[in-house]
Amino acid sequence: DHAEEYHGSFDSLLLSHILEHMQLADAVALLLEYLPYLKPQGRIIIITPQEAGYRADKTHVTFVDFPQVDSVFKAIAAQRSEGYSFPFPRLVGHFFKYNEFVSIAEIGC
């Protein structure tokens, strides 16, 4: 097992279209497992679908918007430094299934 040699090695951790497939407590556990691999001041990027995208997939179990992501970040002692709707303004997410929430937190700041 070479996991120890990678501790503190990575600038960012990306979870794209993952959190909506689990309960938020499981998302917190997953992030806590991987936090040791981030460098000090590393970033966590979480991307989740907005309403139309959430409704389009029966495997989604939790709608994860900015407040939900903030609760996950708080549970791992991180704070969202940036959040935006992509690729279109937030309102579009109600009917365009590819609109996403993008949330970024920095660790150790």
Side-chain angles (χ1 to χ4, degrees), residues 33-71:
E33 182 177 343
Y34 284 93
L35 279 182
Y37 297 101
L38 282 177
K39 292 178 179 177
Q41 286 82 43
R43 297 182 340 152
I44 299 171
I45 302 126
I46 295 176
I47 301 172
T48 58
Q50 293 179 2
E51 290 83 358
Y54 180 79
R55 289 189 306 267
D57 186 338
K58 293 182 189 299
T59 68
H60 291 163
V61 297
T62 305
F63 181 69
V64 185
D65 58 3
F66 292 128
Q68 306 317 70
V69 171
D70 288 346
S71 71

Side-chain angles (χ1 to χ4, degrees), residues 43-47 65-67 69-70 73 78-86 101-106:
R43 297 182 340 152
I44 299 171
I45 302 126
I46 295 176
I47 301 172
D65 58 3
F66 292 128
V69 171
D70 288 346
F73 284 153
Q79 183 172 352
R80 181 165 47 100
S81 59
E82 192 173 349
Y84 56 90
S85 179
F86 177 84
F101 295 109
V102 178
S103 301
I104 301 170
E106 295 181 21

Side-chain angles (χ1 to χ4, degrees), residues 85-101:
S85 179
F86 177 84
F88 299 111
R90 174 70 184 93
L91 180 63
V92 176
H94 292 277
F95 58 88
F96 179 61
K97 74 178 185 178
Y98 300 110
N99 232 44
E100 304 169 322
F101 295 109

Side-chain angles (χ1 to χ4, degrees), residues 1-42:
D1 188 353
H2 299 282
E4 285 294 318
E5 70 185 82
Y6 294 108
H7 279 218
S9 296
F10 298 95
D11 295 319
S12 301
L13 177 61
L14 170 66
L15 285 86
S16 181
H17 293 270
I18 303 295
L19 268 60
E20 66 272 13
H21 294 277
M22 59 182 59
Q23 299 297 322
L24 292 183
D26 295 326
V28 169
L30 178 66
L31 283 165
L32 288 173
E33 182 177 343
Y34 284 93
L35 279 182
Y37 297 101
L38 282 177
K39 292 178 179 177
Q41 286 82 43

